[in-house]
């Protein structure tokens, strides 16, 4: 799996959907099923909405990393952070 990446976006509601859309594609890229992509997208959407409530006018930094066990997403904002892990099915070589 290639290196992860970081997305920085305003807490404004107009931009929050970007994180969940990217989470969907990243889950697929990491080998997840459509169901995995949908589940990760929904989890990230909820986490970003919660972070936005605490971030106020600030930005939210969303870090995506994948390894053989799944996708890790960590959110950071001015005074806090949260993390989630979505397992992916084992791939056959």
């Amino acid at each position: 799996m290639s290196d992860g990446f970081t997305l920085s976006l305003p807490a404004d509601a107009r931009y929050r959907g970007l994180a969940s859309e990217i989470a969907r594609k990243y889950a697929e890229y990491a080998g997840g099923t459509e169901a995995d992509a949908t589940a990760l997208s929904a989890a990230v959407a909820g986490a970003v909405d919660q972070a936005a409530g605490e971030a106020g006018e600030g930005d939210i930094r969303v870090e995506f990393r994948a390894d053989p066990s799944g996708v890790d997403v960590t959110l950071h904002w001015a005074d806090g952070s949260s993390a989630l892990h979505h397992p992916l099915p084992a791939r056959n070589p």
Side-chain angles (χ1 to χ4, degrees):
M1 185 85 239
S2 67
D3 292 335
F5 65 94
T6 301
L7 169 70
S8 182
L9 59 125
D12 186 298
R14 296 176 294 174
Y15 303 102
R16 289 183 218 156
L18 291 171
S20 62
E21 290 177 30
I22 290 171
R24 173 181 297 281
K25 293 298 182 185
Y26 194 64
E28 292 171 356
Y29 172 74
T33 65
E34 186 173 331
D36 291 318
T38 298
L40 182 61
S41 177
V44 168
V48 168
D49 284 344
Q50 184 175 2
E54 297 179 28
E57 298 290 319
D59 289 345
I60 301 168
R61 195 173 74 244
V62 187
E63 298 173 353
F64 293 88
R65 301 278 179 266
D67 63 33
S69 72
V71 176
D72 292 306
V73 181
T74 306
L75 291 84
H76 300 274
W77 58 94
D79 294 327
S81 65
S82 67
L84 58 99
H85 175 79
H86 184 81
L88 295 178
R91 298 164 108 182
N92 292 327

